[in-house]
Amino acid sequence: MRNCRDITLLISKELDNESTLSERFAVGLHVLMCSRCRNFQTQSKFISKAAHRFTEQLEDQSEKKL
Amino acid sequence: MTKNIAEQRLSEQVLAEHRPVLFRYALLQLRDHELADDAVQETLLAAWQAASNFEGKASLRSWLIGILKHKIADHWRRSVREVVTPELDQIDADKSAVDEDDFFTSNGEWHSGPSAWNDPEAALKQQEFWIIYETCQDNLPPQMAKVFMLRELVGLDADEVCRETGLSTANYWVTMHRARLRLRECLEIRWFNNPKPTKENHHA
């Protein structure tokens, strides 16, 4: 069985669309039972979204300064 | 003949497709819209002029980023300011292992795992959240911050980040994993678990 450290690494890979089908399956099964890893998954997606938003804001702000 | 093929491949339109990524890359380093714009403009012009040097071995974007890095370096050389992003070193394997112990037991279970966050979407609309976000991002170790930014902010894919930083694919995954663990924890401690009773009144 994979532990939470392994699973969170796979979650991270999955976010970058680089995990295999069996890895995604392992993640799906694990997060059904593990709320901490489920939170990590949701929150990592949120962080990606925040990072993109941060860049957009940076572009907007610097445009306004011109 | 070769030149014609190269020029065809590097038509204005093809080059322009890379402008957004190049611009974000430049903006993150220079933190100035006008300077970033200039650097990208110079890069595309240089690429256009040197089209015959592009052999198609590297991806076009890697080649363009290579030129852009020189333009940014030129800028730093001209200005008095110091270069803020030192070149990446290889990840130290021992140090990395210690890093993961911060989050997991030797059995790979969470020390104190992620708790549920209250309404993260709402945080995106708050100015104070972005100050915390930037602090957390800046608190990443330099090489980790660079990998995370190239991937998530500039929008390079994993292979491109590896070429840019000299990391192996395995080290790249480990680095991104840690960056996410750290950012997550930092946001949880500084924002989501931090009582903000007067947040509503901050605009006053």
Side-chain angles (χ1 to χ4, degrees), chain B residues 8-163:
Chain B
Q8 238 175 340
R9 204 189 290 134
L10 297 183
S11 70
E12 242 171 292
Q13 199 187 349
V14 167
L15 288 172
E17 281 169 16
H18 296 274
R19 182 185 277 278
V21 165
L22 295 174
F23 179 72
R24 287 199 289 276
Y25 189 102
L27 186 61
L28 283 166
Q29 308 247 350
L30 299 167
R31 293 282 165 143
D32 182 285
H33 185 97
E34 206 171 351
L35 289 175
D37 213 33
D38 287 350
V40 171
Q41 199 57 42
E42 284 174 31
T43 298
L44 292 176
L45 186 65
W48 175 252
Q49 286 165 344
S52 56
N53 293 344
F54 177 65
E55 292 164 348
K57 280 182 195 156
S59 84
L60 176 56
R61 193 142 85 185
S62 300
W63 186 64
L64 291 172
I65 287 173
I67 300 174
L68 177 60
K69 277 160 93 173
H70 282 292
K71 299 296 174 193
I72 292 171
D74 285 346
H75 164 78
W76 292 121
R77 258 180 243 119
R78 282 195 303 264
S79 66
V80 200
R81 291 166 68 186
E82 304 239 310
V83 179
V84 283
T85 44
E87 275 306 299
L88 272 189
D89 292 323
Q90 288 287 333
I91 304 264
D92 182 333
D94 291 338
K95 231 168 72 188
S96 303
V98 172
D99 204 50
E100 289 209 330
D101 287 345
D102 292 344
F103 300 103
F104 300 100
T105 66
S106 54
N107 293 332
E109 305 305 323
W110 288 100
H111 269 311
S112 63
S115 55
W117 289 353
N118 182 34
D119 203 358
E121 288 298 317
L124 295 175
K125 298 191 185 81
Q126 288 175 274
Q127 200 57 48
E128 295 93 336
F129 171 78
W130 292 109
I131 295 164
I132 302 286
Y133 175 85
E134 191 165 11
T135 306
C136 288
Q137 196 169 260
D138 290 346
N139 279 351
L140 294 175
Q143 75 273 37
M144 201 181 281
K146 179 160 185 181
V147 170
F148 181 81
M149 285 185 175
L150 288 175
R151 174 72 189 110
E152 296 281 33
L153 280 66
V154 178
L156 300 188
D157 65 31
D159 287 345
E160 290 171 322
V161 177
C162 289
R163 271 200 297 273

Side-chain angles (χ1 to χ4, degrees), chain A residues 3-5 8-9 12 16 18 36-37 39-40 43 46 48-52 54-55 57 59 62-63 66, chain B residues 24 33 100 104 107-108 110 113-117 120-121 130 133 137 151-153 172-173 177 180 184:
Chain A
N3 58 38
C4 295
R5 180 171 45 211
T8 52
L9 178 63
S12 185
D16 291 335
E18 296 280 344
R36 288 174 159 185
C37 286
N39 286 335
F40 177 82
Q43 290 160 9
F46 170 78
S48 281
K49 186 174 174 179
H52 297 156
F54 177 77
T55 318
Q57 288 180 356
E59 291 176 51
S62 57
E63 232 165 272
L66 279 181
Chain B
R24 287 199 289 276
H33 185 97
E100 289 209 330
F104 300 100
N107 293 332
W110 288 100
S115 55
W117 289 353
E121 288 298 317
W130 292 109
Y133 175 85
Q137 196 169 260
R151 174 72 189 110
E152 296 281 33
L153 280 66
Y172 165 81
W173 295 123
H177 181 213
R180 288 180 167 125
R184 199 212 64 78

